[in-house]
Amino acid sequence: MGRFGRFSAILFMSFSFLLSTVLFSFASGQPQPWQMGLSESVTPIMTELLWFHDDFLLWIIGFVTFFVLFLLIVVVLFFNKRFHPVPSTTSHNTAIEVIWTVIPILILIVIAVPSFRLLYFERVIPEAAMTIKAIGHQWYWSYEYPDHEDVSFDSVMVEDEDLKAGQPRLLAVDQELIVPVGKVVRLLVTASDVIHSWAIPSFGMKIDAIPGRLNESWFKAEKVGVYYGQCSELCGVRHAFMPIAVRVVEQEIFDAWITMAVQSGPEDANELLTHRHKILSRTVSLKNGG
Amino acid sequence: MVTHAADHGQGGYPTGWRRYLFSTNHKDIGTMYLIFGMLNGLIGGALSIVIRMELQNPGLQFFGDPHLFNVFTTAHGLIMLFLMLMPALIGGFGNWFVPLMIGAPDMAFPRLNNVSFWLLPPAALLLFMSLFSEGDSGGSGFGGGWTLYPPLSAGGGPAVDYAILSIHIMGIASLLGSINFITTILNMRAPGMTMHKLPLFAWSLLITSFLLLLSLPVLAGALTMLLTDRNFGTTFFDPSGGGDPLLFQHLFWFFGHPEVYILVLPVFGIVSHIISTFSCKPVFGYLGMVYAMISIGVIGFIVWAHHMYAVGMDVNTQAYFITATIVISVPTGIKIFSWIATMWGGSISFKPPMVWVIGFIFLFTVGGVTGVVLANASINRALHDTYYIVAHFHYVLSLGAVFGLFAGWYYWFPKISGYMYSFFLAHMHFVVQFVGVNMIFFPQHFLGLAGMPRRYIDYPDAFAGWNYISSIGSYVSLLGVLIFLFGVFEAFLRKRPAASNPWGDGANSLEWTLPSPPPFHQFETLPHIK
């Protein structure tokens, strides 16, 4: 029996080694199959978060976990009935107790410094180029552009049967939120019925949409592309079916889009986006005096 | 059940159904709590298997209506916390072993003890009624999560009211139990047993009871306000009437955070006893252990808003909650290191309880370090309400607390039943369960980092791989539970009598001085502690 017990103790330890694999970071605005780490960064916040988690915290917690595992392996191998039949009677050692109180405190201080820096970086909102309001409803998001004559539209998930080629299931929406690249966007978030939460993993963002309260956050998307997120606060039956999609476009395209949206509505403006290259070449030729 | 031949001539006690319904005996009540916890554990576990079956592949598998899925996750959480872990750890092991360990003949208020147990079946009944009555979204049952956040929980049919009343009654039951434990431990210790000689399990129950006593009334207040919001037109949590949905979250987590320590502190106590027993060494740093538990209890009350980093709190408030939260890992670290130091230099025999405890220490460490990650508001906002959270709290509760529960079960089963179980089956159970739960929950860290939100019936196809592994893991751990049940069955079938102390010299708390099972009434002459 004792032998089997030691066997199972060793088995679980080798298993734990297998489990504690190194994490990776994957690229793109949506999750990837077998992704093991945080998403690729698109905003300064996410870049900082990637450093904080992948290059800093993961090493610390990995070290602590393997240190505990190492100590467990040592006691299992050396302080068992067979190899160490006479137990010691030590039950106090002030020095070591002080050490294992003080060293964790030091580690925590080392963690706290970048953590606070990052917190204030995230939550102290910089001067914004534009403001967008996101409102959570059961079960879709709606967006308003208060700086642009209150252009507003609903953003509803595309059902499986209506998916076009390249649209990811459960993430694609009929009308994406359009924002310019490289600009600080101030996001005001609220909800009309129950609590929802606006989140985009590759922005490192999550902010609750709470009825009766206006929450504020910001992002500065630094790469053109479409970035997806999902409602992150349980909001009822179709909680899993109200995704968030943000299309980050060049400033010229955004200007063209918002002008069109102000004039003839966001549906028509979205038509423009399909002719993205035409707009770009036109603006380039305009700049060249053509 | 067990017969108590040794009681002959000690005065009568009720037999048959009266013995249990009218019971004032801490051991009978403890046994009922254990059976109650076990039954509800099976129900809650079955719910989780169905949840994992649904999530095994993308798309809707078994639930035509996503509401029903939400009802399952809600019920799984409520049942596992309030009807499985708390009854089994506090009511079951607490009732059985606190009086035995401190050398008391029974609990201080035996009738109160009876009431606190018999309030639970009606509470469970209300919770099950809730599953079958109209809830939010028009479907049957309440699907707003165990956290019951309004405004989602402020609408819908009577399912929510039943759930609230059920939690109210469970709360009253726990409060009565806590009063009983505190009185018993403070007043009924055997002569010579000073507080600094109190066994760590009794200490853990004392601290747990204080946490319950201070946190449950806050929950009861929040639930009552929710109840009057729902039924009597008040607007405590309704912004249209000047209320605030966030007020509920603050009140809920003021209870909810101590609640997780309520679940895990008794396990800390159990683990200390088992390690000391099977290492044949006294607990290393006993006083450090005691004061670590006390400080975990105290700090546990001032960290609640780390569950709410995404609600838009003031940045300085968040800075405070980060500090308080990471501080709590210091006493927790002291406990982990003291356990290892207890084993260090010991003469460990790998009997089943010890193997479970070594598993516990490792898994609890994994859950603990991800807790340190989550304490930081910045990274927390990336991981909040994703599967990383699910993985974290299952590592500390489902793997930590439940492994402690099984360790306690294999440690005390011979004492409770008077029979030895099969070590082979117990080790098998450990290996299968260990592989199973890690398969379920380790990949969930990856899903969370990749951004998969929790409480989702369906997910983008990219998440399919790890979800599949996770679901397979849940079937493996189901196999583990079946081995466990077979082990219990086998022990009662074979009836191998257990010695009064089956674990040897290391087991030196008072319960091992009594026969297995102990007589109906013990310590008629109080033991003296040197």
Side-chain angles (χ1 to χ4, degrees):
Chain A
M1 291 302 176
R3 177 170 301 177
F4 189 76
R6 193 155 57 247
F7 166 73
S8 48
I10 289 170
L11 186 87
F12 105 75
M13 282 170 176
S14 36
F15 188 73
S16 335
F17 267 124
L18 277 177
L19 281 176
S20 319
T21 34
V22 186
L23 309 182
F24 302 104
S25 215
F26 281 77
S28 144
Q30 51 176 296
Q32 298 301 303
W34 302 103
Q35 180 174 342
M36 292 171 84
L38 290 162
S39 306
E40 176 213 23
S41 161
V42 183
T43 62
I45 289 177
M46 191 59 190
T47 308
E48 294 283 317
L49 282 182
L50 276 178
W51 171 82
F52 187 54
H53 182 266
D54 290 1
D55 300 335
F56 183 71
L57 283 178
L58 208 52
W59 289 101
I60 295 176
I61 66 169
F63 170 76
V64 172
T65 309
F66 282 107
F67 180 62
V68 170
L69 189 61
F70 167 75
L71 292 178
L72 282 176
I73 291 172
V74 170
V75 293
V76 166
L77 291 181
F78 296 106
F79 298 109
N80 55 54
K81 266 238 148 61
R82 188 193 295 175
F83 292 108
H84 198 259
V86 183
S88 85
T89 51
T90 315
S91 64
H92 296 284
N93 185 329
T94 311
I96 199 164
E97 290 182 64
V98 170
I99 288 172
W100 71 44
T101 311
V102 172
I103 289 183
I105 291 176
L106 294 178
I107 294 177
L108 293 176
I109 291 172
V110 171
I111 293 177
V113 173
S115 174
F116 285 151
R117 188 175 54 79
L118 200 43
L119 169 69
Y120 283 88
F121 175 57
E122 240 187 283
R123 294 305 304 164
V124 178
I125 291 158
E127 187 73 24
M130 63 181 290
T131 299
I132 288 172
K133 195 172 166 193
I135 304 152
H137 308 273
Q138 281 177 322
W139 290 274
Y140 62 94
W141 292 91
S142 63
Y143 297 103
E144 292 173 10
Y145 290 72
D147 298 344
H148 301 93
E149 305 192 14
D150 276 339
V151 167
S152 66
F153 55 87
D154 294 340
S155 179
V156 183
M157 187 187 82
V158 180
E159 295 295 331
D160 290 6
E161 55 271 22
D162 303 329
L163 282 174
K164 295 193 199 69
Q167 284 189 321
R169 198 178 71 89
L170 300 181
L171 293 174
V173 296
D174 59 351
Q175 300 206 68
E176 292 147 346
L177 177 66
I178 314 288
V179 296
V181 68
K183 291 283 155 62
V184 174
V185 176
R186 190 166 72 119
L187 189 74
L188 298 177
V189 185
T190 188
S192 64
D193 34 46
V194 302
I195 304 175
H196 305 268
S197 188
W198 198 93
I200 298 273
S202 38
F203 289 7
M205 257 186 90
K206 189 168 289 140
I207 181 90
D208 284 357
I210 301 168
R213 174 179 284 257
L214 205 55
N215 269 334
E216 190 181 27
S217 191
W218 69 283
F219 61 86
K220 187 172 109 183
E222 290 172 321
K223 276 179 233 163
V224 170
V226 189
Y227 303 100
Y228 295 100
Q230 293 173 288
C231 178
S232 297
E233 182 61 61
L234 180 57
C235 58
V237 179
R238 290 185 57 82
H239 171 48
F241 308 104
M242 50 179 291
I244 297 138
V246 180
R247 182 178 290 270
V248 179
V249 296
E250 291 86 351
Q251 183 70 46
E252 293 85 351
I253 296 187
F254 178 78
D255 292 342
W257 177 82
I258 196 74
T259 314
M260 186 78 171
V262 169
Q263 283 165 6
S264 50
E267 285 89 352
D268 289 349
N270 284 340
E271 288 293 312
L272 263 182
L273 293 172
T274 52
H275 309 297
R276 175 167 178 274
H277 291 289
K278 231 182 276 175
I279 306 171
L280 262 188
S281 53
R282 203 182 63 186
T283 32
V284 169
S285 62
L286 280 173
K287 272 183 189 160
N288 296 341
Chain B
M1 292 313 296
V2 272
T3 53
H4 295 280
D7 292 321
H8 195 68
Q10 288 187 355
Y13 58 84
T15 52
W17 61 272
R18 281 191 179 81
R19 173 171 169 188
Y20 293 98
L21 189 62
F22 300 155
S23 181
T24 52
N25 181 292
H26 73 102
K27 293 185 287 292
D28 284 351
I29 293 174
T31 304
M32 289 193 289
Y33 264 117
L34 282 174
I35 294 169
F36 182 83
M38 211 191 284
L39 289 177
N40 282 295
L42 293 177
I43 297 172
L47 293 175
S48 72
I49 299 281
V50 183
I51 292 170
R52 279 313 327 165
M53 281 165 71
E54 171 59 49
L55 293 173
Q56 185 172 339
N57 292 302
L60 302 193
Q61 260 68 236
F62 299 95
F63 294 96
D65 175 15
H67 172 72
L68 194 59
F69 178 83
N70 292 341
V71 172
F72 268 53
T73 54
T74 306
H76 168 73
L78 287 173
I79 290 174
M80 285 306 205
L81 289 185
F82 292 109
L83 296 179
M84 194 278 269
L85 279 174
M86 281 172 76
L89 286 169
I90 304 171
F93 290 146
N95 256 309
W96 252 96
F97 293 105
V98 165
L100 295 189
M101 281 185 164
I102 67 173
D106 206 306
M107 295 287 280
F109 306 118
R111 289 179 194 218
L112 201 64
N113 208 3
N114 175 292
V115 175
S116 81
F117 173 76
W118 282 109
L119 279 176
L120 279 183
L125 199 67
L126 270 169
L127 194 63
F128 295 129
M129 266 168 70
S130 149
L131 296 179
F132 296 102
S133 42
E134 193 197 321
D136 56 316
S137 315
S140 97
F142 173 58
W146 81 282
T147 48
L148 297 157
Y149 281 1
L152 190 56
S153 60
V160 194
D161 300 304
Y162 287 143
I164 291 173
L165 291 173
S166 162
I167 300 171
H168 259 317
I169 296 178
M170 294 170 198
I172 294 169
S174 291
L175 276 177
L176 298 181
S178 306
I179 293 168
N180 214 344
F181 279 118
I182 292 171
T183 317
T184 309
I185 295 170
L186 292 183
N187 295 302
M188 292 176 64
R189 299 188 309 278
M193 184 177 279
T194 60
M195 285 309 270
H196 281 177
K197 285 182 185 166
L198 191 64
L200 283 170
F201 181 66
W203 260 115
S204 71
L205 257 290
L206 181 66
I207 298 162
T208 296
S209 302
F210 271 107
L211 295 191
L212 281 167
L213 203 62
L214 293 172
S215 66
L216 274 172
V218 179
L219 175 72
L223 290 178
T224 308
M225 287 151 87
L226 187 57
L227 209 55
T228 62
D229 266 16
R230 290 177 47 80
N231 297 294
F232 308 118
T234 59
T235 54
F236 292 111
F237 308 128
D238 179 3
S240 68
D244 184 359
L246 283 192
L247 173 63
F248 181 86
Q249 297 190 14
H250 280 290
L251 294 174
F252 180 86
W253 287 113
F254 189 85
F255 151 80
H257 198 77
E259 166 71 13
V260 302
Y261 293 108
I262 287 163
L263 295 170
V264 90
L265 278 171
V267 168
F268 286 175
I270 294 172
V271 165
S272 299
H273 284 275
I274 293 176
I275 290 183
S276 156
T277 297
F278 294 97
S279 306
C280 301
K281 269 184 70 193
V283 172
F284 187 93
Y286 168 88
L287 279 184
M289 292 292 239
V290 169
Y291 288 100
M293 281 200 283
I294 293 175
S295 43
I296 289 172
V298 172
I299 305 170
F301 270 106
I302 53 172
V303 298
W304 75 91
H306 68 213
H307 298 266
M308 302 165 56
Y309 284 142
V311 302
M313 265 187 307
D314 178 74
V315 64
N316 296 318
T317 314
Q318 292 188 31
Y320 158 74
F321 279 106
I322 294 176
T323 316
T325 305
I326 55 180
V327 163
I328 216 164
S329 59
V330 174
T332 317
I334 292 176
K335 296 203 71 76
I336 299 266
F337 292 129
S338 300
W339 286 326
I340 295 176
T342 308
M343 292 192 257
W344 198 276
S347 175
I348 302 173
S349 52
F350 296 97
K351 304 248 168 57
M354 189 62 184
V355 175
W356 279 90
V357 159
I358 296 174
F360 163 87
I361 293 179
F362 179 71
L363 298 176
F364 194 78
T365 306
V366 174
V369 295
T370 55
V372 173
V373 172
L374 290 170
N376 300 289
S378 49
I379 190 76
N380 181 291
R381 260 187 293 278
L383 301 173
H384 175 77
D385 254 353
T386 67
Y387 263 80
Y388 194 90
I389 301 285
V390 177
H392 161 70
F393 72 71
H394 280 96
Y395 259 87
V396 285
L397 291 181
S398 169
L399 285 69
V402 173
F403 268 50
L405 184 63
F406 279 127
W409 173 268
Y410 286 118
Y411 186 51
W412 282 320
F413 179 82
K415 180 56 61 187
I416 293 173
S417 67
Y419 302 130
M420 265 336 263
Y421 52 86
S422 153
F423 282 9
F424 175 76
L425 286 173
H427 281 126
M428 279 283 287
H429 176 204
F430 170 78
V431 172
V432 174
Q433 199 83 35
F434 187 87
V435 172
V437 288
N438 279 294
M439 249 176 104
I440 304 175
F441 295 113
F442 206 82
Q444 294 187 357
H445 290 116
F446 306 147
L447 289 171
L449 287 166
M452 178 175 165
R454 63 192 281 211
R455 295 164 165 169
Y456 264 36
I457 186 172
D458 195 5
Y459 46 81
D461 304 341
F463 295 129
W466 292 122
N467 268 302
Y468 188 80
I469 305 271
S470 182
S471 291
I472 300 299
S474 85
Y475 311 141
V476 175
S477 72
L478 172 67
L479 179 67
V481 172
L482 294 178
I483 298 174
F484 163 71
L485 292 175
F486 181 71
V488 177
F489 171 76
E490 197 261 5
F492 280 108
L493 188 74
R494 292 286 183 86
K495 295 193 192 315
R496 287 167 291 241
S500 56
N501 180 359
W503 305 129
D505 298 338
N508 48 20
S509 44
L510 280 176
E511 79 266 32
W512 306 110
T513 62
L514 298 165
S516 300
F520 196 71
H521 296 294
Q522 77 274 353
F523 298 133
E524 296 195 329
T525 325
L526 291 179
H528 281 262
I529 312 297
K530 288 183 284 293

